[in-house]
């Protein structure tokens, strides 16, 4: 992929509009529950400030109605957190398209929730032109929103005087490119999730690329059912059995492997009080819920991953949030962290598991993105990235 990067541009005294992804979770009191995305954006902001730029930060938070911003949608807590991380005040600018404001060289301000602007979701060129008038340089450092064609992610990249990728965007694309466009082989992909239907395109795309595909979570039950195994009352999609069989056939035709568990951890209820039982697939009873991979399965999976040179991970193997069903995902996380393979992981649940099991430092790249990560795995062109490439061309 060819696009300009922030480091290639002279920012001295320039008005720099950085589209960040500050869509962070907030608790009931409106406090930031996880600042991973904010911390990931700090290097690009620091670089621009060190160059003496006049820095404006833009992001969405939640799903505000256009033209109807409420206090719950405000980026005020994000501005405070960015200020703490930069050790400086970060003023929050409301109504930033309606009233003039000034940013001094070496200063940074936060622009209020961009999704409140009428035309943002519709990717309005008129709105983008108004925003372009505020800046000399547009920087997209929000890979997590790259799959959305919106005014601050796509249209503005096409009409701003200069458009480039920030360091987070560039590193995400470089890591994903290394993992999928030019992987060292064997290439393994672990895809977890509750439903095959939500990740069908991902599974179909990966089946034509990888040497090893591991399906976890509720999706694994659908694949087990397609293979004629019993799954009790586990979450599964009987209407997706044929689709699962097609994915399996694609892998088989290429000489690739679908890894399935040979033993599982079950319970008769889904709760923190549930009593786990380790069973072979043949021992699964009609009232059993399959909630994790079993120890024999994990031993086999660790051995199977050992020779792989590239590992892509999206989604847990089981209900890792509950301790008695966390063994499979914990063992997987530890195995990937200890592997010599180039490893990249992404998605909200995956990042949560990585943080819970404290292996982030040993994963080669942890993506901050969810939807964009999945769409890249599907082989889709991301609108925001396409806009940057077109500008560079």
């Amino acid at each position: 992929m060819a696009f300009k990067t922030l480091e290639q541009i002279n920012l001295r005294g320039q008005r720099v509009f950085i589209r960040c992804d500050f869509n962070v979770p907030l608790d009931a009191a409106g406090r930031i529950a996880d600042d991973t995305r904010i911390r990931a954006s700090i290097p690009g902001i620091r670089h621009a400030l060190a160059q003496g730029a006049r820095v404006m930060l833009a992001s969405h938070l939640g799903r505000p109605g256009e033209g109807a911003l409420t206090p719950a949608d405000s980026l005020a807590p994000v501005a405070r957190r960015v200020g703490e991380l930069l050790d400086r005040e970060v003023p929050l600018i409301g109504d930033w398209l309606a009233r003039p404001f000034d940013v001094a060289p070496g200063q940074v301000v936060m622009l209020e929730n961009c999704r409140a602007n009428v035309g943002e979701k519709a990717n309005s060129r008129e709105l983008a032109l108004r925003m372009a008038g505020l800046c000399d340089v547009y920087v997209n450092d929000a890979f997590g929103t790259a799959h959305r064609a919106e005014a601050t992610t796509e249209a503005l990249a096409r009409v701003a005087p200069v458009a480039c990728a920030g360091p987070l965007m560039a590193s995400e694309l470089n890591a994903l490119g290394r993992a999928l466009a030019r992987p060292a082989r064997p290439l393994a992909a672990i895809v977890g999730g509750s439903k095959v239907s939500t990740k069908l395109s991902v599974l179909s795309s990966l089946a034509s690329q990888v040497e090893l595909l591991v399906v976890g979570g509720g999706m694994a039950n659908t694949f087990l059912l397609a293979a004629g195994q019993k799954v009790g009352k586990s979450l599964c999609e009987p209407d997706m059995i044929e689709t699962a069989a097609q994915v399996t056939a694609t892998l088989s035709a290429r000489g690739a492997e679908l890894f399935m568990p040979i033993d599982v951890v079950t319970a008769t209820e889904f709760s923190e009080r549930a009593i786990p039982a380790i069973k072979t697939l043949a021992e699964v009873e009609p009232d059993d819920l399959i909630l994790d991979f079993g120890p024999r399965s994990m031993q086999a999976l660790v051995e199977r991953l050992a020779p792989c040179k590239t590992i892509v991970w999206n989604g847990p193997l089981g209900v890792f949030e509950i301790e008695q069903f966390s063994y499979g995902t914990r063992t997987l996380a530890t195995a990937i962290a200890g592997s010599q393979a180039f490893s990249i992981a992404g998605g909200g649940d995956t990042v949560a598991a990585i943080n819970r099991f404290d292996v982030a430092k040993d994963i080669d790249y942890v993506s901050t993105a969810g939807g964009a990560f999945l769409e890249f795995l599907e082989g889709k062109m991301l609108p925001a990235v396409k806009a940057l490439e077109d500008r560079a061309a």
Side-chain angles (χ1 to χ4, degrees):
M1 287 169 281
F3 45 79
K4 289 183 180 178
T5 63
L6 184 64
E7 292 80 3
Q8 295 172 325
I9 298 172
N10 182 1
L11 303 177
R12 179 68 56 185
Q14 300 293 293
R15 298 171 301 161
V16 178
F17 185 111
I18 305 180
R19 178 50 160 104
C20 303
D21 182 8
F22 293 148
N23 187 33
V24 294
L26 303 177
D27 64 18
R31 295 170 302 208
I32 295 170
D34 184 347
D35 68 351
T36 300
R37 288 179 173 175
I38 298 175
R39 288 184 285 106
S41 296
I42 294 299
I45 300 169
R46 287 193 190 279
H47 175 82
L49 291 172
Q51 294 290 310
R54 307 166 184 259
V55 181
M56 296 165 278
L57 308 178
S59 177
H60 73 285
L61 177 64
R63 298 178 179 176
E66 291 188 356
L69 188 72
T70 69
D73 301 317
S74 176
L75 282 166
V78 175
R80 286 193 294 271
R81 183 59 182 144
V82 172
E84 291 169 355
L85 293 169
L86 294 174
D87 194 25
R88 64 168 67 201
E89 182 184 2
V90 178
L92 179 66
I93 310 296
D95 296 326
W96 45 280
L97 287 171
R99 62 185 179 87
F101 62 94
D102 186 47
V103 186
Q107 183 188 15
V108 56
V109 301
M110 181 80 67
L111 307 180
E112 188 56 281
N113 199 325
C114 65
R115 286 256 176 99
N117 294 325
V118 177
E120 171 66 16
K121 291 285 288 181
N123 197 25
S124 165
R125 178 179 171 82
E126 179 183 355
L127 174 60
L129 287 169
R130 293 174 63 196
M131 293 187 288
L134 299 176
C135 67
D136 303 302
V137 178
Y138 165 77
V139 183
N140 192 331
D141 211 22
F143 179 74
T145 67
H147 60 308
R148 303 184 190 279
E150 299 181 352
T152 56
T153 64
E154 202 270 351
L156 181 54
R158 296 189 179 278
V159 299
V162 175
C164 66
L168 178 58
M169 172 72 84
S171 62
E172 292 262 8
L173 292 171
N174 288 335
L176 284 164
R178 178 177 173 183
L180 293 173
R182 49 186 188 279
R185 294 184 181 274
L187 166 62
I190 301 101
V191 182
S194 58
K195 296 181 177 181
V196 172
S197 55
T198 62
K199 293 188 176 179
L200 172 59
S201 298
V202 174
L203 293 170
S204 298
S205 176
L206 290 174
S208 65
Q209 300 179 62
V210 303
E211 280 71 51
L212 173 66
L213 179 63
V214 183
V215 180
M219 293 194 304
N221 301 326
T222 301
F223 277 80
L224 287 172
L225 200 61
Q229 301 289 349
K230 297 183 297 182
V231 298
K233 60 179 182 180
S234 306
L235 174 66
C236 67
E237 296 175 284
D239 59 335
M240 297 300 291
I241 287 177
E242 183 176 340
T243 299
Q246 290 172 352
V247 171
T248 304
T250 299
L251 289 162
S252 179
R254 296 179 50 248
E257 176 186 354
L258 173 68
F259 182 91
M260 298 298 295
I262 52 178
D263 65 339
V264 291
V265 183
T266 69
T268 55
E269 63 174 322
F270 184 91
S271 76
E272 294 187 355
R273 302 184 305 275
I275 299 173
I278 299 172
K279 297 185 176 184
T280 65
L281 296 175
E283 294 171 334
V284 174
E285 299 290 342
D287 64 342
D288 279 335
L289 291 165
I290 297 174
L291 299 175
D292 196 11
F293 281 29
R296 289 175 56 210
S297 300
M298 292 314 302
Q299 180 181 354
L301 178 55
V302 170
E303 292 174 355
R304 187 63 189 84
L305 287 173
C308 293
K309 298 295 179 60
T310 305
I311 301 174
V312 178
W313 179 22
N314 174 259
L317 297 183
V319 188
F320 73 94
E321 300 91 343
I322 299 177
E323 180 60 30
Q324 55 267 44
F325 308 114
S326 65
Y327 175 79
T329 304
R330 178 188 290 109
T331 303
L332 173 65
T334 302
I336 295 174
S339 171
Q340 296 300 307
F342 174 74
S343 54
I344 180 168
D349 287 342
T350 312
V351 174
I354 286 169
N355 290 336
R356 175 171 180 174
F357 304 130
D358 194 26
V359 297
K361 64 182 182 301
D362 297 314
I363 305 291
D364 289 301
Y365 196 85
V366 179
S367 173
T368 61
F373 184 89
L374 287 175
E375 292 202 10
F376 195 102
L377 294 185
E378 292 176 42
K380 291 183 177 180
M381 172 54 71
L382 308 181
V385 177
K386 180 65 163 55
L388 293 176
E389 290 183 330
D390 289 349
R391 284 301 302 272

